[in-house]
Amino acid sequence: MPALRNTLTSALTATALAAGLSLGAASPASAADCPSAASPKITGARAHWNLTCSGGRLKVYGWVEDTAMDGRDALVEVWPGGGHHWRLVEARGMGQRTNFDFEFPGAKSASVTLRLSR
């Protein structure tokens, strides 16, 4: 019985470690209604975005910046509500900043995430 317990413990530890490594690039997310704003920072990236609503449209705008020489890109993903297609913007290389400005007719909320490329 102890051998089975050790095997199960090892398998669970390996699974948890693998999950942690694959999710290591995950970072702050903001699921928000408009109006709202966020300025998340993670190791290697930072961003700022605003969500506003006007004329039946959700507007998500801001910037993303790569802050480390680590070979990974800084990414912002925008997942609007209402069945719209998601958008991705990236900054490639330390010190690079990319502005973005997206509109989604009929949407009133979005999930916006800052992360690093794999």
Side-chain angles (χ1 to χ4, degrees):
M1 199 63 136
L4 177 60
R5 184 179 314 149
N6 288 342
T7 301
L8 289 175
T9 301
S10 295
L12 289 173
T13 301
T15 302
L17 179 59
L21 290 174
S22 67
L23 296 175
S27 60
S30 170
D33 295 322
C34 54
S36 67
S39 296
K41 292 180 185 178
I42 59 172
T43 301
R46 67 183 182 150
H48 176 79
W49 57 74
N50 293 290
L51 280 71
T52 61
C53 288
S54 179
R57 294 178 176 271
L58 168 67
K59 185 172 183 173
V60 181
Y61 62 95
W63 52 265
V64 59
E65 183 176 352
D66 189 331
T67 62
M69 292 177 53
D70 57 6
R72 300 171 81 185
D73 301 331
L75 308 172
V76 167
E77 293 180 352
V78 181
W79 294 84
H84 294 278
H85 294 288
W86 66 280
R87 301 288 189 269
L88 175 74
V89 62
E90 58 192 342
R92 294 182 169 187
M94 183 175 169
Q96 295 298 308
R97 181 182 281 197
T98 303
N99 295 316
F100 58 92
D101 189 343
F102 303 119
E103 288 192 10
F104 305 99
K108 295 180 181 175
S109 64
S111 177
V112 186
T113 306
L114 170 64
R115 68 177 183 86
L116 296 174
S117 63
R118 298 189 192 275

